[in-house]
Amino acid sequence: MTQPFRLAQGGRIDRARKLRFTFDGRALEGHPGDTLASALLANGTHLVGRSFKYHRPRGIFAAGSDEPSALVTLGGDPVHRTPNLRATQVELFEGLVAESQNRFPSLGFDIGALNDLASPILPAGFYYKTFLWPSGAWKRLYEPMIRAMAGLGRAPSLPDPSHYAQRYAHCDVLVVGAGPAGLAAALAAAAAGARVILCDEQAELGGSLLAAPDASVEGVPAYDWIAAATAELRGNARVTLLPRATGFGYFAYNFVGLAERLSDHLAAPDANLPRERLWQVRAREVVLATGALERPLVFPGNDRPGVMLSGAALTYAARYGVRPGATAAVATNCDQGYRAALALSKLGMRIAAIADWRASAEGPAAAAARAAGLPIHPRTVIAATSGRLRIRSARLGRIDGSTVKPGAAVSCDLLLVAGGRTPAVHLFSQSRGKLAFDESLQAFVPGESVRRERSAGACRGRYALADAIEDGYAAGAAAAKA
Protein backbone atom coordinates (compact mmCIF):
# COMPACT_ATOMS: atom_id res chain seq x y z
CA MET A 1 0.00 0.00 0.00
CA THR A 2 1.26 3.47 -0.91
CA GLN A 3 0.08 7.02 -0.39
CA PRO A 4 0.83 8.57 -3.80
CA PHE A 5 -0.35 12.04 -2.86
CA ARG A 6 1.46 12.24 0.49
CA LEU A 7 4.12 14.95 0.48
CA ALA A 8 7.65 13.85 1.30
CA GLN A 9 7.81 16.17 4.29
CA GLY A 10 5.72 18.64 6.29
CA GLY A 11 2.51 18.42 8.22
CA ARG A 12 1.75 17.60 11.85
CA ILE A 13 1.27 13.87 11.30
CA ASP A 14 3.40 11.14 12.85
CA ARG A 15 5.17 9.67 9.82
CA ALA A 16 6.98 7.10 11.97
CA ARG A 17 3.75 5.12 12.46
CA LYS A 18 1.25 3.82 9.94
CA LEU A 19 -2.43 3.23 10.56
CA ARG A 20 -4.39 0.70 8.51
CA PHE A 21 -8.03 1.39 7.67
CA THR A 22 -10.62 0.48 5.06
CA PHE A 23 -12.97 2.53 2.92
CA ASP A 24 -15.70 0.56 1.15
CA GLY A 25 -13.69 -2.58 1.85
CA ARG A 26 -10.51 -1.23 0.27
CA ALA A 27 -7.41 -1.47 2.48
CA LEU A 28 -5.58 1.87 2.83
CA GLU A 29 -2.97 3.49 5.08
CA GLY A 30 -2.58 6.78 6.89
CA HIS A 31 -0.72 8.21 9.88
CA PRO A 32 -1.58 9.36 13.42
CA GLY A 33 -2.75 12.94 13.14
CA ASP A 34 -4.68 12.30 9.92
CA THR A 35 -8.39 12.71 9.53
CA LEU A 36 -10.24 10.19 7.39
CA ALA A 37 -10.51 12.87 4.69
CA SER A 38 -6.79 13.67 4.63
CA ALA A 39 -5.91 9.95 4.56
CA LEU A 40 -8.30 9.35 1.66
CA LEU A 41 -6.78 12.25 -0.27
CA ALA A 42 -3.28 10.95 0.46
CA ASN A 43 -4.35 7.69 -1.17
CA GLY A 44 -5.77 9.50 -4.20
CA THR A 45 -9.43 9.00 -3.28
CA HIS A 46 -11.61 11.98 -4.14
CA LEU A 47 -14.98 10.31 -4.79
CA VAL A 48 -16.54 9.72 -1.37
CA GLY A 49 -20.32 9.91 -1.76
CA ARG A 50 -23.43 10.60 -3.79
CA SER A 51 -25.84 13.49 -3.65
CA PHE A 52 -29.13 13.28 -1.77
CA LYS A 53 -31.58 13.28 -4.69
CA TYR A 54 -29.89 12.79 -8.05
CA HIS A 55 -26.99 10.62 -6.82
CA ARG A 56 -24.42 12.89 -8.43
CA PRO A 57 -20.77 12.12 -7.50
CA ARG A 58 -19.55 14.01 -4.45
CA GLY A 59 -16.02 14.66 -3.20
CA ILE A 60 -14.18 16.27 -0.30
CA PHE A 61 -14.86 20.01 -0.43
CA ALA A 62 -13.70 21.43 2.92
CA ALA A 63 -11.37 20.43 5.76
CA GLY A 64 -13.49 20.88 8.89
CA SER A 65 -17.00 21.12 10.26
CA ASP A 66 -18.21 23.01 7.17
CA GLU A 67 -17.83 19.91 4.95
CA PRO A 68 -21.14 19.43 3.04
CA SER A 69 -20.52 16.29 0.99
CA ALA A 70 -18.03 13.81 2.49
CA LEU A 71 -20.50 12.04 4.77
CA VAL A 72 -19.63 8.47 5.72
CA THR A 73 -20.77 5.62 7.94
CA LEU A 74 -18.31 4.40 10.56
CA GLY A 75 -18.18 1.01 12.25
CA GLY A 76 -17.91 -2.51 10.92
CA ASP A 77 -20.70 -4.14 12.94
CA PRO A 78 -24.43 -3.31 13.11
CA VAL A 79 -24.28 -2.37 16.80
CA HIS A 80 -21.60 0.31 16.55
CA ARG A 81 -22.39 1.73 13.09
CA THR A 82 -22.74 5.51 13.04
CA PRO A 83 -23.98 7.20 9.85
CA ASN A 84 -23.59 10.71 8.46
CA LEU A 85 -20.22 11.59 9.98
CA ARG A 86 -18.07 14.17 8.21
CA ALA A 87 -14.87 12.50 6.99
CA THR A 88 -13.11 15.80 7.68
CA GLN A 89 -13.84 15.44 11.42
CA VAL A 90 -13.21 11.71 11.83
CA GLU A 91 -9.82 11.11 13.45
CA LEU A 92 -7.95 8.20 11.90
CA PHE A 93 -7.16 5.21 14.10
CA GLU A 94 -5.90 1.67 13.56
CA GLY A 95 -8.57 -0.60 12.10
CA LEU A 96 -11.07 2.14 11.28
CA VAL A 97 -13.84 0.88 8.99
CA ALA A 98 -15.64 3.49 6.87
CA GLU A 99 -18.24 3.18 4.14
CA SER A 100 -19.76 5.57 1.64
CA GLN A 101 -23.51 6.14 1.71
CA ASN A 102 -26.53 6.51 -0.54
CA ARG A 103 -25.31 4.31 -3.42
CA PHE A 104 -26.09 0.93 -4.97
CA PRO A 105 -24.44 -1.38 -5.83
CA SER A 106 -21.20 0.60 -5.43
CA LEU A 107 -19.90 4.14 -5.14
CA GLY A 108 -18.31 4.16 -8.59
CA PHE A 109 -21.30 2.51 -10.31
CA ASP A 110 -24.52 3.75 -8.74
CA ILE A 111 -27.80 2.85 -10.40
CA GLY A 112 -29.45 5.79 -8.65
CA ALA A 113 -27.38 8.12 -10.86
CA LEU A 114 -30.03 7.51 -13.54
CA ASN A 115 -32.02 10.12 -11.63
CA ASP A 116 -29.52 12.72 -12.84
CA LEU A 117 -30.43 11.98 -16.46
CA ALA A 118 -34.07 12.74 -15.66
CA SER A 119 -33.28 15.88 -13.62
CA PRO A 120 -34.67 18.31 -16.27
CA ILE A 121 -38.15 16.85 -15.77
CA LEU A 122 -37.81 16.34 -11.98
CA PRO A 123 -37.71 19.87 -10.53
CA ALA A 124 -37.73 20.47 -6.78
CA GLY A 125 -41.12 19.73 -5.26
CA PHE A 126 -42.60 18.19 -8.42
CA TYR A 127 -43.80 15.09 -6.56
CA TYR A 128 -46.10 17.00 -4.23
CA LYS A 129 -48.48 17.63 -7.12
CA THR A 130 -47.60 14.85 -9.55
CA PHE A 131 -47.92 11.85 -7.26
CA LEU A 132 -51.31 12.54 -5.71
CA TRP A 133 -53.10 10.25 -8.17
CA PRO A 134 -54.58 7.73 -7.69
CA SER A 135 -55.91 8.48 -4.24
CA GLY A 136 -53.68 7.19 -1.46
CA ALA A 137 -50.87 6.13 -3.81
CA TRP A 138 -48.45 8.68 -2.34
CA LYS A 139 -48.27 7.01 1.06
CA ARG A 140 -48.53 3.43 -0.17
CA LEU A 141 -46.30 3.55 -3.27
CA TYR A 142 -44.50 6.73 -4.18
CA GLU A 143 -43.19 7.94 -0.80
CA PRO A 144 -41.67 4.57 0.22
CA MET A 145 -40.03 4.26 -3.21
CA ILE A 146 -38.61 7.81 -3.19
CA ARG A 147 -37.35 7.47 0.39
CA ALA A 148 -35.56 4.25 -0.54
CA MET A 149 -33.76 6.00 -3.41
CA ALA A 150 -32.99 9.26 -1.63
CA GLY A 151 -31.56 10.00 1.77
CA LEU A 152 -28.21 9.71 3.49
CA GLY A 153 -26.87 6.99 5.79
CA ARG A 154 -29.12 4.47 7.48
CA ALA A 155 -29.67 4.83 11.21
CA PRO A 156 -28.78 1.73 13.25
CA SER A 157 -31.75 -0.33 14.38
CA LEU A 158 -30.07 -2.08 17.34
CA PRO A 159 -29.72 -0.55 20.82
CA ASP A 160 -26.65 1.61 21.41
CA PRO A 161 -24.33 -0.29 23.79
CA SER A 162 -22.26 2.82 24.59
CA HIS A 163 -22.86 4.91 27.68
CA TYR A 164 -22.70 8.66 28.03
CA ALA A 165 -21.82 11.08 30.79
CA GLN A 166 -22.86 14.59 31.73
CA ARG A 167 -21.36 17.26 33.90
CA TYR A 168 -22.45 20.63 35.26
CA ALA A 169 -19.71 23.24 35.51
CA HIS A 170 -19.30 26.87 36.48
CA CYS A 171 -16.57 29.28 35.44
CA ASP A 172 -15.77 32.96 35.31
CA VAL A 173 -14.91 32.98 31.60
CA LEU A 174 -15.87 30.42 28.96
CA VAL A 175 -13.91 30.73 25.71
CA VAL A 176 -15.40 28.90 22.72
CA GLY A 177 -12.78 28.30 20.05
CA ALA A 178 -9.07 27.72 20.57
CA GLY A 179 -7.64 29.39 17.49
CA PRO A 180 -5.26 32.34 17.79
CA ALA A 181 -7.93 34.68 19.22
CA GLY A 182 -9.32 32.04 21.59
CA LEU A 183 -5.90 31.10 22.95
CA ALA A 184 -5.06 34.76 23.48
CA ALA A 185 -8.39 35.35 25.26
CA ALA A 186 -7.84 32.38 27.56
CA LEU A 187 -4.28 33.50 28.36
CA ALA A 188 -5.43 37.02 29.23
CA ALA A 189 -8.38 35.87 31.35
CA ALA A 190 -6.27 33.32 33.22
CA ALA A 191 -3.51 35.88 33.85
CA ALA A 192 -6.12 38.12 35.47
CA GLY A 193 -7.03 35.36 37.94
CA ALA A 194 -10.27 34.15 36.35
CA ARG A 195 -11.45 30.54 36.31
CA VAL A 196 -11.42 29.67 32.60
CA ILE A 197 -12.84 26.89 30.45
CA LEU A 198 -11.44 26.78 26.89
CA CYS A 199 -13.10 24.41 24.41
CA ASP A 200 -12.49 23.61 20.77
CA GLU A 201 -14.05 21.08 18.40
CA GLN A 202 -10.69 19.87 17.08
CA ALA A 203 -8.32 17.38 18.67
CA GLU A 204 -5.52 19.97 18.80
CA LEU A 205 -5.69 23.53 20.05
CA GLY A 206 -4.51 26.18 17.61
CA GLY A 207 -7.25 26.53 15.01
CA SER A 208 -6.10 28.11 11.76
CA LEU A 209 -2.52 28.35 13.05
CA LEU A 210 -2.22 24.56 12.72
CA ALA A 211 -2.18 25.07 8.95
CA ALA A 212 0.20 28.06 9.02
CA PRO A 213 3.69 26.67 9.66
CA ASP A 214 5.38 29.75 8.20
CA ALA A 215 3.44 32.26 10.33
CA SER A 216 4.88 33.92 13.40
CA VAL A 217 3.20 35.23 16.54
CA GLU A 218 4.87 37.81 18.75
CA GLY A 219 8.18 37.10 17.06
CA VAL A 220 8.14 33.30 17.45
CA PRO A 221 7.02 30.58 14.98
CA ALA A 222 3.31 29.89 15.16
CA TYR A 223 3.75 26.23 16.18
CA ASP A 224 6.06 27.25 19.03
CA TRP A 225 3.58 29.89 20.18
CA ILE A 226 0.77 27.31 20.22
CA ALA A 227 2.90 24.91 22.27
CA ALA A 228 3.90 27.60 24.76
CA ALA A 229 0.34 28.93 25.13
CA THR A 230 -1.09 25.43 25.58
CA ALA A 231 1.57 24.53 28.17
CA GLU A 232 0.91 27.74 30.12
CA LEU A 233 -2.83 27.13 30.17
CA ARG A 234 -2.46 23.45 31.06
CA GLY A 235 -0.18 24.36 33.95
CA ASN A 236 -2.74 26.77 35.43
CA ALA A 237 -5.00 25.08 38.00
CA ARG A 238 -7.80 27.57 37.26
CA VAL A 239 -7.97 26.59 33.56
CA THR A 240 -9.84 23.63 32.06
CA LEU A 241 -8.91 22.68 28.49
CA LEU A 242 -11.50 20.77 26.45
CA PRO A 243 -10.33 19.63 23.01
CA ARG A 244 -12.80 17.59 20.95
CA ALA A 245 -15.59 19.62 22.58
CA THR A 246 -18.12 21.41 20.37
CA GLY A 247 -20.12 24.35 21.66
CA PHE A 248 -23.57 23.59 20.25
CA GLY A 249 -26.02 25.73 22.21
CA TYR A 250 -26.08 29.18 23.83
CA PHE A 251 -29.05 29.48 26.15
CA ALA A 252 -30.41 32.01 28.63
CA TYR A 253 -28.23 33.48 31.38
CA ASN A 254 -24.95 32.35 29.81
CA PHE A 255 -25.84 28.67 29.91
CA VAL A 256 -23.79 26.95 27.17
CA GLY A 257 -23.91 23.34 26.03
CA LEU A 258 -20.73 21.51 25.01
CA ALA A 259 -20.52 18.03 23.47
CA GLU A 260 -17.18 16.38 24.26
CA ARG A 261 -16.08 13.31 22.29
CA LEU A 262 -14.18 10.91 24.56
CA SER A 263 -13.61 7.62 22.76
CA ASP A 264 -14.62 7.74 19.08
CA HIS A 265 -11.00 8.43 18.13
CA LEU A 266 -9.65 5.35 19.95
CA ALA A 267 -9.06 2.00 18.25
CA ALA A 268 -9.86 -0.04 21.41
CA PRO A 269 -11.51 2.21 24.01
CA ASP A 270 -11.94 1.08 27.59
CA ALA A 271 -15.40 -0.39 28.02
CA ASN A 272 -15.87 1.78 31.11
CA LEU A 273 -15.06 4.99 29.21
CA PRO A 274 -18.09 7.03 28.14
CA ARG A 275 -18.43 7.70 24.46
CA GLU A 276 -19.35 11.35 24.93
CA ARG A 277 -19.82 13.81 27.76
CA LEU A 278 -22.41 16.59 27.82
CA TRP A 279 -21.05 19.69 29.56
CA GLN A 280 -23.66 22.14 30.84
CA VAL A 281 -21.66 25.24 31.63
CA ARG A 282 -22.86 28.33 33.45
CA ALA A 283 -20.37 31.12 32.75
CA ARG A 284 -20.23 34.62 34.18
CA GLU A 285 -18.71 35.85 30.91
CA VAL A 286 -18.40 34.21 27.49
CA VAL A 287 -15.84 34.93 24.78
CA LEU A 288 -16.77 33.62 21.34
CA ALA A 289 -13.70 33.03 19.15
CA THR A 290 -15.31 30.77 16.56
CA GLY A 291 -13.38 31.98 13.53
CA ALA A 292 -14.64 32.38 9.98
CA LEU A 293 -15.70 30.09 7.13
CA GLU A 294 -14.45 30.33 3.58
CA ARG A 295 -17.15 31.08 1.02
CA PRO A 296 -17.58 28.91 -2.06
CA LEU A 297 -18.24 30.24 -5.56
CA VAL A 298 -21.22 29.31 -7.72
CA PHE A 299 -20.85 28.13 -11.31
CA PRO A 300 -22.13 25.24 -13.47
CA GLY A 301 -20.69 21.94 -12.32
CA ASN A 302 -19.30 23.28 -9.04
CA ASP A 303 -20.24 20.05 -7.23
CA ARG A 304 -17.86 17.64 -8.95
CA PRO A 305 -15.27 15.69 -6.94
CA GLY A 306 -12.04 17.66 -7.13
CA VAL A 307 -13.68 21.05 -6.56
CA MET A 308 -12.38 22.24 -3.18
CA LEU A 309 -12.12 25.35 -1.03
CA SER A 310 -8.69 26.95 -1.42
CA GLY A 311 -8.24 27.15 2.35
CA ALA A 312 -9.03 23.44 2.64
CA ALA A 313 -6.33 22.60 0.08
CA LEU A 314 -3.82 24.64 2.08
CA THR A 315 -4.87 22.85 5.27
CA TYR A 316 -4.39 19.42 3.72
CA ALA A 317 -0.97 20.42 2.43
CA ALA A 318 0.35 22.30 5.48
CA ARG A 319 -1.24 20.37 8.34
CA TYR A 320 -1.53 16.86 6.92
CA GLY A 321 1.25 16.76 4.32
CA VAL A 322 -1.13 15.89 1.49
CA ARG A 323 -1.09 17.17 -2.09
CA PRO A 324 -4.81 17.21 -3.01
CA GLY A 325 -4.14 17.06 -6.74
CA ALA A 326 -1.54 17.22 -9.49
CA THR A 327 -2.82 20.10 -11.65
CA ALA A 328 -5.02 22.83 -10.20
CA ALA A 329 -7.10 25.67 -11.56
CA VAL A 330 -8.07 28.46 -9.17
CA ALA A 331 -11.27 30.51 -9.20
CA THR A 332 -11.16 33.53 -6.89
CA ASN A 333 -12.59 36.94 -6.15
CA CYS A 334 -10.06 37.76 -3.40
CA ASP A 335 -6.37 37.47 -2.54
CA GLN A 336 -6.86 34.12 -0.79
CA GLY A 337 -6.92 32.35 -4.15
CA TYR A 338 -3.51 33.75 -5.06
CA ARG A 339 -2.03 32.75 -1.71
CA ALA A 340 -3.29 29.19 -2.19
CA ALA A 341 -1.94 29.01 -5.74
CA LEU A 342 1.48 30.24 -4.66
CA ALA A 343 1.73 27.86 -1.71
CA LEU A 344 0.66 24.81 -3.70
CA SER A 345 2.92 25.75 -6.60
CA LYS A 346 5.89 25.72 -4.23
CA LEU A 347 4.89 22.18 -3.22
CA GLY A 348 5.19 20.97 -6.80
CA MET A 349 1.62 21.34 -8.03
CA ARG A 350 1.07 22.73 -11.50
CA ILE A 351 -1.26 25.76 -11.57
CA ALA A 352 -3.13 25.70 -14.89
CA ALA A 353 -4.94 29.03 -14.47
CA ILE A 354 -6.04 31.61 -11.91
CA ALA A 355 -9.45 32.95 -12.88
CA ASP A 356 -10.00 36.23 -11.01
CA TRP A 357 -13.58 37.45 -11.14
CA ARG A 358 -12.47 41.01 -10.37
CA ALA A 359 -11.83 43.67 -12.99
CA SER A 360 -8.07 43.70 -12.42
CA ALA A 361 -5.50 41.49 -10.72
CA GLU A 362 -3.67 43.93 -8.45
CA GLY A 363 -2.09 43.87 -5.00
CA PRO A 364 0.85 42.08 -3.39
CA ALA A 365 -0.65 38.58 -3.68
CA ALA A 366 -1.36 38.94 -7.40
CA ALA A 367 2.06 40.50 -7.96
CA ALA A 368 3.75 37.57 -6.22
CA ALA A 369 1.78 35.09 -8.34
CA ARG A 370 2.68 36.98 -11.49
CA ALA A 371 6.36 37.03 -10.49
CA ALA A 372 6.21 33.26 -9.95
CA GLY A 373 5.00 32.87 -13.55
CA LEU A 374 1.49 31.68 -12.67
CA PRO A 375 -1.12 32.25 -15.43
CA ILE A 376 -3.57 34.97 -14.29
CA HIS A 377 -6.86 35.75 -16.06
CA PRO A 378 -8.67 38.85 -14.71
CA ARG A 379 -12.37 39.43 -15.39
CA THR A 380 -12.71 35.67 -15.80
CA VAL A 381 -15.13 33.16 -14.28
CA ILE A 382 -15.63 29.41 -14.47
CA ALA A 383 -18.26 28.83 -17.16
CA ALA A 384 -18.41 25.02 -16.90
CA THR A 385 -16.58 21.93 -15.68
CA SER A 386 -16.27 18.41 -17.07
CA GLY A 387 -15.55 15.00 -15.58
CA ARG A 388 -17.75 12.19 -14.35
CA LEU A 389 -16.25 10.81 -11.12
CA ARG A 390 -13.65 13.58 -10.82
CA ILE A 391 -13.11 16.92 -12.47
CA ARG A 392 -11.06 16.74 -15.70
CA SER A 393 -11.23 20.30 -16.99
CA ALA A 394 -12.68 23.75 -16.34
CA ARG A 395 -13.88 26.08 -19.07
CA LEU A 396 -13.12 29.75 -18.52
CA GLY A 397 -15.53 32.54 -19.36
CA ARG A 398 -14.52 36.13 -20.02
CA ILE A 399 -16.63 38.82 -18.34
CA ASP A 400 -17.59 41.40 -20.94
CA GLY A 401 -19.92 43.98 -19.43
CA SER A 402 -22.97 42.06 -18.21
CA THR A 403 -22.30 38.94 -20.30
CA VAL A 404 -19.83 36.06 -20.15
CA LYS A 405 -18.11 35.10 -23.39
CA PRO A 406 -16.85 31.51 -23.79
CA GLY A 407 -13.14 31.06 -23.21
CA ALA A 408 -10.56 28.30 -23.29
CA ALA A 409 -10.78 25.04 -21.37
CA VAL A 410 -7.94 24.12 -19.02
CA SER A 411 -7.15 20.57 -17.93
CA CYS A 412 -7.06 20.03 -14.17
CA ASP A 413 -7.79 17.39 -11.56
CA LEU A 414 -8.37 20.00 -8.84
CA LEU A 415 -10.35 23.24 -8.94
CA LEU A 416 -9.86 25.55 -5.98
CA VAL A 417 -12.48 28.17 -5.15
CA ALA A 418 -11.95 31.24 -2.97
CA GLY A 419 -14.92 33.52 -2.38
CA GLY A 420 -13.74 35.36 0.72
CA ARG A 421 -14.63 34.63 4.33
CA THR A 422 -17.77 34.83 6.43
CA PRO A 423 -17.60 35.17 10.24
CA ALA A 424 -19.00 32.16 12.12
CA VAL A 425 -21.74 33.88 14.10
CA HIS A 426 -23.92 30.85 14.86
CA LEU A 427 -23.54 30.87 18.65
CA PHE A 428 -23.75 34.65 18.80
CA SER A 429 -27.08 34.53 16.96
CA GLN A 430 -28.26 31.74 19.25
CA SER A 431 -27.56 33.99 22.22
CA ARG A 432 -30.11 36.41 20.66
CA GLY A 433 -27.37 38.87 19.77
CA LYS A 434 -28.10 41.24 16.90
CA LEU A 435 -26.05 41.02 13.72
CA ALA A 436 -24.76 44.04 11.80
CA PHE A 437 -23.79 44.08 8.13
CA ASP A 438 -20.23 45.22 7.44
CA GLU A 439 -20.02 46.81 3.99
CA SER A 440 -16.24 46.53 3.81
CA LEU A 441 -16.35 42.80 4.53
CA GLN A 442 -19.64 42.17 2.72
CA ALA A 443 -20.62 39.97 5.64
CA PHE A 444 -22.65 39.98 8.83
CA VAL A 445 -20.68 40.44 12.05
CA PRO A 446 -21.72 40.42 15.73
CA GLY A 447 -23.42 43.64 16.70
CA GLU A 448 -25.23 44.30 19.96
CA SER A 449 -24.84 41.55 22.59
CA VAL A 450 -27.79 40.50 24.71
CA ARG A 451 -25.87 38.22 27.10
CA ARG A 452 -22.66 38.82 29.02
CA GLU A 453 -20.68 37.95 25.92
CA ARG A 454 -18.03 39.38 23.63
CA SER A 455 -16.76 38.09 20.29
CA ALA A 456 -13.11 38.17 19.24
CA GLY A 457 -10.98 37.54 16.19
CA ALA A 458 -12.17 36.36 12.79
CA CYS A 459 -15.73 35.76 14.00
CA ARG A 460 -16.14 39.53 14.13
CA GLY A 461 -14.14 40.31 11.01
CA ARG A 462 -10.63 40.62 12.45
CA TYR A 463 -9.02 38.39 9.83
CA ALA A 464 -5.37 39.48 10.04
CA LEU A 465 -3.44 37.26 12.45
CA ALA A 466 -1.99 40.10 14.52
CA ASP A 467 -5.39 41.81 14.73
CA ALA A 468 -7.11 38.57 15.80
CA ILE A 469 -4.61 37.90 18.58
CA GLU A 470 -4.75 41.49 19.85
CA ASP A 471 -8.54 41.28 19.78
CA GLY A 472 -8.42 38.03 21.74
CA TYR A 473 -6.17 39.45 24.44
CA ALA A 474 -8.48 42.46 24.81
CA ALA A 475 -11.63 40.31 24.97
CA GLY A 476 -10.14 37.93 27.56
CA ALA A 477 -8.93 40.76 29.78
CA ALA A 478 -12.26 42.58 29.53
CA ALA A 479 -14.19 39.39 30.36
CA ALA A 480 -12.04 38.73 33.43
CA LYS A 481 -12.47 42.31 34.60
CA ALA A 482 -16.22 42.16 34.11
Side-chain angles (χ1 to χ4, degrees), residues 209 275 296 303 318 450:
L209 287 180
R275 184 178 184 183
D303 59 348
V450 174

Short mmCIF file of all heavy atoms in Angstrom, two decimals, residues 209 275 296 303 318 450:
data_model
loop_
_atom_site.label_atom_id
_atom_site.label_comp_id
_atom_site.label_asym_id
_atom_site.label_seq_id
_atom_site.Cartn_x
_atom_site.Cartn_y
_atom_site.Cartn_z
N LEU A 209 -3.97 28.35 12.96
CA LEU A 209 -2.52 28.35 13.05
C LEU A 209 -1.93 26.96 12.80
O LEU A 209 -0.75 26.84 12.44
CB LEU A 209 -2.06 28.85 14.42
CG LEU A 209 -2.20 30.35 14.69
CD1 LEU A 209 -1.71 30.66 16.09
CD2 LEU A 209 -1.43 31.16 13.66
N ARG A 275 -18.67 7.31 25.84
CA ARG A 275 -18.43 7.70 24.46
C ARG A 275 -18.39 9.21 24.32
O ARG A 275 -17.54 9.76 23.62
CB ARG A 275 -19.52 7.12 23.56
CG ARG A 275 -19.30 7.40 22.08
CD ARG A 275 -20.37 6.77 21.24
NE ARG A 275 -20.10 6.97 19.83
CZ ARG A 275 -20.91 6.58 18.86
NH1 ARG A 275 -22.04 5.94 19.15
NH2 ARG A 275 -20.60 6.80 17.60
N PRO A 296 -17.76 29.52 -0.75
CA PRO A 296 -17.58 28.91 -2.06
C PRO A 296 -17.98 29.88 -3.17
O PRO A 296 -18.46 30.98 -2.89
CB PRO A 296 -18.53 27.71 -2.02
CG PRO A 296 -19.64 28.18 -1.10
CD PRO A 296 -18.98 29.07 -0.06
N ASP A 303 -20.09 21.11 -8.24
CA ASP A 303 -20.24 20.05 -7.23
C ASP A 303 -19.45 18.80 -7.57
O ASP A 303 -19.61 17.77 -6.92
CB ASP A 303 -21.72 19.70 -7.07
CG ASP A 303 -22.37 19.21 -8.36
OD1 ASP A 303 -21.74 19.37 -9.44
OD2 ASP A 303 -23.50 18.68 -8.31
N ALA A 318 -0.49 21.81 4.38
CA ALA A 318 0.35 22.30 5.48
C ALA A 318 0.20 21.49 6.75
O ALA A 318 1.19 21.24 7.46
CB ALA A 318 0.02 23.77 5.76
N VAL A 450 -26.70 40.56 23.75
CA VAL A 450 -27.79 40.50 24.71
C VAL A 450 -27.31 39.87 26.02
O VAL A 450 -27.73 40.27 27.10
CB VAL A 450 -28.97 39.70 24.12
CG1 VAL A 450 -30.07 39.50 25.17
CG2 VAL A 450 -29.53 40.42 22.90
#
